[in-house]
């Protein structure tokens, strides 16, 4: 009889092999952690040798795409041009006695009438050590690759702390697939709209960790949150609410440690907990010091950002547009596992919006079950993911109806969709019966590890990774800068730019090349806001004037000495002209053809509103294959629908795909 009762007790409590580590020794502590929302962190060092090897393999798989893509770009001759060169100038300012206090100029001022900049200079300071040691090219290219690669590897590590190898392998697989969906080129792109993507995704995992009292990660949460918020206004709506949630739970954990007599979570002493918070506070103060110096003693950029968002100029797209984008992101084939063209202008059907509700219904249902089972770690995960999704939707709803809408404004769609599906998969797994998890954990984890490694190898081979911004001038720019240095003595020079390529691509690259070579250029262009005051011409004494002129037609008439000249095809898309025109013709079956006349463009524009045809027109515009005469008709017809295509058609002009840049040296 005694043996029978003992056996019954074992069956009721579960066998010793089913109990979590330490449950037999401290059942009361385990129950308190379970109901308080605190989650026990996993450590790689506690795994057996095979488990440690698999964890290291997943960390390598997470960082491999960024490493390979960066190496490919370096081998193919990537050089900083355009916006990247402007970022390089600010990185150089960090080590040259002109420390920047704010980020790059924002395009929000063109819509609100209030010139603002992205919140902070974190990216510039992070890349400055590489600039000081290896130069601007390495600082920008390798620095961007390291930042994104580190964010992916750290995300895999944080996922392991939350769920061990199963969650780590799931996260690594999904994030590598998302890299393919966004095209791998963004991993080495230092432009602020791209480099904050992986940091913002990592922020979601860190907020979840802080919310379940993983106090050791609070300093890392402060660093990553600061980078995400400072990098670009597009990430402000997505990351801002997340940071607020993380700060709330972080302060809540500190207050509980101070008030209660219980041992702090994570095996820390009270002294260690206080030390973590002091480190986090010091890091936050240091990282935001330049921003607040600017706010109170310089331009007051935070006030300008607030005015940009609240100016009321123009009608916002509204929550209807936000729900459409959410439906496109969460539809049964989520956006992060497919390559979506023109997510900013693609028409979303009602059925897609309704299907997009399915993963949200699943998330809500699993949250209800988790709450009934007192799994507050899972409830908190659902809360954090919901905050991220709502933040992204709020960003989409506030976008202006009229004006340029870039794909980076909707980057939250990829991050939010990945987080929703990650949460649904993990919560569903954790809420399974223990016997099912014990049975399937090993094979499922092995499959996910295999998929993660396979994706990490195949994704960098994506052929579209070669389509890099400004790549048309990569081969010629080093020679152009060498020619200028050889023909122009060192000194101070006024820089005048004329032509689209000179303003947007070649000019910034030349200025950056001169600065890093010891020259003192002072830029005088219509885009003065792109250059800081110490690089802007305002009557300084100069040794001469360097005129950077670009043209698609005949060379300009200039009295100065020619010191540099390059000729390049603006985009390889020139060879795709016939295919693009054929596709446009197929979209207009009623016409039976496409007339390249003002009437034809107007008719096409009326039928192209809200469709993927806008993408083709934009590509034709960027390839410079449509004549300038049609540009004005396009502006008048649909300029308010797609500002980007209209602006490009209006400013580029010409019929050829070959551009030339001349640099002349003349008297001051």
């Amino acid at each position: 009889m005694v043996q029978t009762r003992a056996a019954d007790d074992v069956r009721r409590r579960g066998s010793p092999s089913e109990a979590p580590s330490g449950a037999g020794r401290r059942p009361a502590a385990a129950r308190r952690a379970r109901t308080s929302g605190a989650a026990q962190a996993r450590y790689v060092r506690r795994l057996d040798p095979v488990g440690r090897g698999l964890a290291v393999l997943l960390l390598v798989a997470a960082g491999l795409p960024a490493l390979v893509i960066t190496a490919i770009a370096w081998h193919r001759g990537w050089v900083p041009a355009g916006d990247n060169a402007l970022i390089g100038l600010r990185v150089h300012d960090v080590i040259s006695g002109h420390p920047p206090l704010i980020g790059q100029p924002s395009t929000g001022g063109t819509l609100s009438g209030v010139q603002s900049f992205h919140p902070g200079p974190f990216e510039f300071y992070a890349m400055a050590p590489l600039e000081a040691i290896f130069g601007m090219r390495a600082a920008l290219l390798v620095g961007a690759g390291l930042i994104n690669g580190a964010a992916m590897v750290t995300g895999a590590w944080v996922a392991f702390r939350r769920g061990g190898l199963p969650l780590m392998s799931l996260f690594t697989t999904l994030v590598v697939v998302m890299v393919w969906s966004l095209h791998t080129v963004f991993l080495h792109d230092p432009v602020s709209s791209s480099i904050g993507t992986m940091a913002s995704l990592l922020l979601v995992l860190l907020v979840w960790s802080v919310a379940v009292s993983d106090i050791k990660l609070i300093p890392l949460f402060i660093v990553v949150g600061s980078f995400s918020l400072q990098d670009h206004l597009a990430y402000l709506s997505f990351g801002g609410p997340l940071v607020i949630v993380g700060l709330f739970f972080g302060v809540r954990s500190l207050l509980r440690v101070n008030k209660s007599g219980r041992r702090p979570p994570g095996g820390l002493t009270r002294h260690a907990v206080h030390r973590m918070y002091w480190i986090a506070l010091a890091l936050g103060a240091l990282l935001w010091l330049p921003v607040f110096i600017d706010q109170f003693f310089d331009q007051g950029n935070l006030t300008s950002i607030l005015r940009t968002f609240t100016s009321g100029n123009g009608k916002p797209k509204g929550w209807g547009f936000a729900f459409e984008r959410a439906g496109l992101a969460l539809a049964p084939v989520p956006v992060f596992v497919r390559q979506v063209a023109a997510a900013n202008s693609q028409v979303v059907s009602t059925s897609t919006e309704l299907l997009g509700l399915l993963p949200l219904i699943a998330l809500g249902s699993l949250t209800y079950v988790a709450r009934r089972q007192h799994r507050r770690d899972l409830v908190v995960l659902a809360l954090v993911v919901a905050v991220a999704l709502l933040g992204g939707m709020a960003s989409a709803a506030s976008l202006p109806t009229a004006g340029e809408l870039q794909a980076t404004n909707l980057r939250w769609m990829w991050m939010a969709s990945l987080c929703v599906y990650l949460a649904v998969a993990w919560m569903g797994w954790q809420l399974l019966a223990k016997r099912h998890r014990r049975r399937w954990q090993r094979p499922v984890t092995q499959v996910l590890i295999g998929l993660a490694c396979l994706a990490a190898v195949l994704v960098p081979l994506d052929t579209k990774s070669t389509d890099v911004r400004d790549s048309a001038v990569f081969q010629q720019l080093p020679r152009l800068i060498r020619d200028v240095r050889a023909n122009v003595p060192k000194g101070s020079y006024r820089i005048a730019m004329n032509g689209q390529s000179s303003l947007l691509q070649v000019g910034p690259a030349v200025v950056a090349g001169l600065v890093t070579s010891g020259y003192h250029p002072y830029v005088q262009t219509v885009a003065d806001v792109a250059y800081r005051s110490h690089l802007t011409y305002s009557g300084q004494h100069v040794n001469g004037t360097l005129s950077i002129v670009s043209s698609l037609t005949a060379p300009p008439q200039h009295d100065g000495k020619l010191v540099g000249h390059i000729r390049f095809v603006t985009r390889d898309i020139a060879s795709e002209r016939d295919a693009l025109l054929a596709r446009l013709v197929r979209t207009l079956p009623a016409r039976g053809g496409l007339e390249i006349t003002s009437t034809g463009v107007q008719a096409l524009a009326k039928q192209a509103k809200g469709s993927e045809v806008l993408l083709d027109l934009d590509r034709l515009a960027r390839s410079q294959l449509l004549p300038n005469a049609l540009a004005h008709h396009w502006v008048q017809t649909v300029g308010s629908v797609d500002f980007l295509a209209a602006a490009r058609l209006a400013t580029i002009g010409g019929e050829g795909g070959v551009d030339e840049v001349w640099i002349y040296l003349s008297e001051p």
Side-chain angles (χ1 to χ4, degrees):
M1 180 66 68
V2 175
Q3 293 177 351
T4 302
R5 289 179 179 175
D8 291 340
D9 289 341
V10 170
R11 281 194 295 269
R12 283 194 299 269
R13 292 193 301 265
S15 64
S17 62
E18 293 179 23
S21 176
R25 294 187 300 272
R26 292 179 301 179
R31 286 196 300 271
R32 284 196 300 268
R34 189 180 180 89
T35 58
S36 66
Q40 182 180 7
R42 281 96 170 161
Y43 297 91
V44 175
R45 65 177 181 269
R46 295 180 182 176
L47 296 174
D48 57 39
V50 175
R52 286 196 296 269
L54 292 176
V56 171
L57 181 62
L58 286 171
L59 293 176
V60 172
L64 185 63
L67 176 65
V68 173
I69 289 299
T70 302
I72 291 174
W74 183 278
H75 176 71
R76 290 177 175 170
W78 185 95
V79 292
D83 288 340
N84 291 333
L86 296 174
I87 292 174
L89 288 172
R90 283 166 168 77
V91 174
H92 185 78
D93 287 344
V94 175
I95 62 174
S96 62
H98 301 90
L101 302 177
I102 51 179
Q104 286 282 88
S106 167
T107 56
T110 61
L111 303 174
S112 64
V114 180
Q115 180 58 57
S116 61
F117 295 74
H118 298 305
F122 195 160
E123 177 187 356
F124 312 144
Y125 287 87
M127 293 180 173
L130 288 175
E131 160 81 14
I133 300 173
F134 301 109
M136 182 179 294
R137 182 185 179 218
L140 296 176
L141 179 62
V142 179
L146 288 177
I147 289 173
N148 282 309
M152 294 172 68
V153 171
T154 306
W157 171 70
V158 175
F160 177 84
R161 286 180 68 89
R162 300 276 66 79
L165 286 175
L167 183 57
M168 184 186 194
S169 57
L170 176 63
F171 172 81
T172 304
T173 302
L174 296 185
V175 77
V176 173
V177 172
M178 191 187 80
V179 168
W180 168 82
S181 175
L182 288 170
H183 303 305
T184 54
V185 64
F186 85 95
L187 288 178
H188 68 71
D189 191 355
V191 72
S192 54
S193 56
S194 294
I195 202 171
T197 302
M198 288 303 171
S200 298
L201 185 60
L202 171 59
L203 179 62
V204 177
L205 293 177
L206 290 172
V207 172
W208 178 29
S209 298
V210 172
V212 295
S213 302
D214 195 346
I215 295 176
K216 291 181 180 179
L217 295 186
I218 288 180
L220 182 60
F221 156 71
I222 294 296
V223 172
V224 175
S226 298
F227 186 90
S228 178
L229 295 187
Q230 291 189 26
D231 184 61
H232 196 278
L233 291 180
Y235 299 112
L236 199 58
S237 296
F238 180 85
L242 287 171
V243 170
I244 293 174
V245 171
L247 291 175
F248 169 79
F249 280 105
V251 173
R252 180 171 174 264
S253 297
L254 178 62
L255 294 177
R256 285 193 169 189
V257 169
N258 290 335
K259 289 183 179 180
S260 67
R262 293 180 292 185
R263 184 180 180 85
L268 297 174
T269 64
R270 290 179 181 274
H271 176 72
V273 169
H274 292 158
R275 183 172 64 249
M276 288 294 174
Y277 278 91
W278 280 114
I279 292 174
L281 183 62
L283 286 172
L286 178 65
L287 295 174
W288 287 93
L289 180 62
V291 178
F292 288 113
I293 290 177
D294 170 82
Q295 174 63 27
F296 296 110
F297 304 103
D298 204 335
Q299 300 184 39
N301 185 52
L302 293 180
T303 301
S304 299
I305 292 175
L306 181 62
R307 292 174 58 197
T308 297
F309 281 112
T310 60
S311 63
N313 292 349
K315 182 180 177 181
K317 288 186 175 294
W319 282 95
F321 175 79
F323 278 105
E324 289 179 356
R325 298 310 106 181
L328 181 62
L330 299 173
V333 181
V335 70
F336 74 92
V337 299
R338 55 193 173 101
Q339 293 181 338
V340 179
N344 51 345
S345 60
Q346 184 172 335
V347 176
V348 180
S349 63
T350 304
S351 60
T352 300
E353 290 187 61
L354 295 177
L355 290 174
L357 292 176
L358 294 179
L360 296 180
I361 294 174
L363 183 66
S365 302
L366 291 170
T367 304
Y368 174 77
V369 176
R371 183 173 177 81
R372 290 289 301 270
Q373 296 186 12
H374 305 289
R375 290 297 304 272
R376 294 194 179 182
D377 58 325
L378 300 181
V379 174
V380 169
L381 171 60
L383 170 65
V384 171
V385 170
V387 169
L389 177 62
L390 289 174
M393 292 176 64
S395 172
S398 63
L399 291 172
T401 301
E404 178 179 352
L405 177 57
Q406 298 179 353
T408 52
N409 297 126
L410 300 175
R411 187 63 60 84
W412 63 268
M413 291 170 54
W414 279 259
M415 297 182 290
S417 64
L418 185 149
C419 292
V420 168
Y421 278 86
L422 177 72
V424 168
W426 182 246
M427 293 173 67
W429 173 259
Q430 286 290 293
L431 294 174
L432 284 176
K434 286 184 179 181
R435 63 181 185 275
H436 296 313
R437 276 188 285 151
R438 280 201 312 272
R439 178 181 178 183
W440 292 103
Q441 178 167 321
R442 183 185 296 271
V444 168
T445 303
Q446 290 174 346
V447 170
L448 287 174
I449 291 174
L451 290 175
C453 295
L454 181 63
V457 172
L458 295 180
V459 164
L461 303 180
D462 179 18
T463 56
K464 293 186 179 181
S465 64
T466 61
D467 186 17
V468 184
R469 185 194 310 108
D470 305 324
S471 59
V473 297
F474 283 172
Q475 300 300 321
Q476 287 80 12
L477 272 178
R479 175 175 60 83
L480 178 66
I481 295 173
R482 285 196 303 268
D483 291 344
V484 172
R485 288 198 297 245
N487 293 294
V488 178
K490 286 190 176 181
S492 301
Y493 295 91
R494 181 173 69 94
I495 308 296
M497 304 180 191
N498 186 18
Q500 187 193 36
S501 293
S502 64
L503 284 169
L504 302 182
Q505 292 178 305
V506 178
V510 172
V511 173
L514 293 175
V515 167
T516 55
S517 300
Y519 291 79
H520 301 283
Y522 300 103
V523 182
Q524 182 179 14
T525 72
V526 295
D528 284 344
V529 69
Y531 301 89
R532 298 186 64 202
S533 58
H534 67 281
L535 292 176
T536 303
Y537 181 75
S538 56
Q540 298 95 329
H541 172 74
V542 294
N543 301 108
T545 297
L546 286 173
S547 301
I548 307 175
V549 184
S550 62
S551 175
L552 292 163
T553 55
Q557 298 294 325
H558 202 283
D559 297 332
K561 173 187 175 183
L562 182 64
V563 296
H565 170 245
I566 59 174
R567 186 174 186 268
F568 58 92
V569 178
T570 54
R571 281 183 62 88
D572 294 337
I573 196 175
S575 62
E576 304 176 24
R577 175 183 56 186
D578 294 337
L580 286 173
L581 290 177
R583 180 176 177 182
L584 290 175
V585 169
R586 288 195 299 271
T587 63
L588 300 174
R591 292 184 54 84
L594 178 64
E595 299 177 16
I596 306 300
T597 63
S598 59
T599 304
V601 169
Q602 289 180 358
L604 174 64
K606 291 178 181 178
Q607 299 185 43
K609 291 183 178 181
S611 72
E612 292 189 8
V613 179
L614 288 176
L615 176 64
D616 289 331
L617 288 173
D618 179 59
R619 296 180 71 195
L620 282 172
R622 285 185 279 126
S623 66
Q624 306 180 6
L625 298 177
L626 296 183
N628 190 47
L630 302 184
H632 302 291
H633 294 287
W634 174 254
V635 172
Q636 295 170 4
T637 307
V638 292
S640 61
V641 176
D642 194 319
F643 177 81
L644 182 60
R648 282 171 173 161
L649 279 169
T651 57
I652 293 175
E655 298 183 4
V658 177
D659 204 350
E660 293 187 73
V661 176
W662 298 265
I663 301 181
Y664 297 95
L665 174 63
S666 58
E667 297 297 326

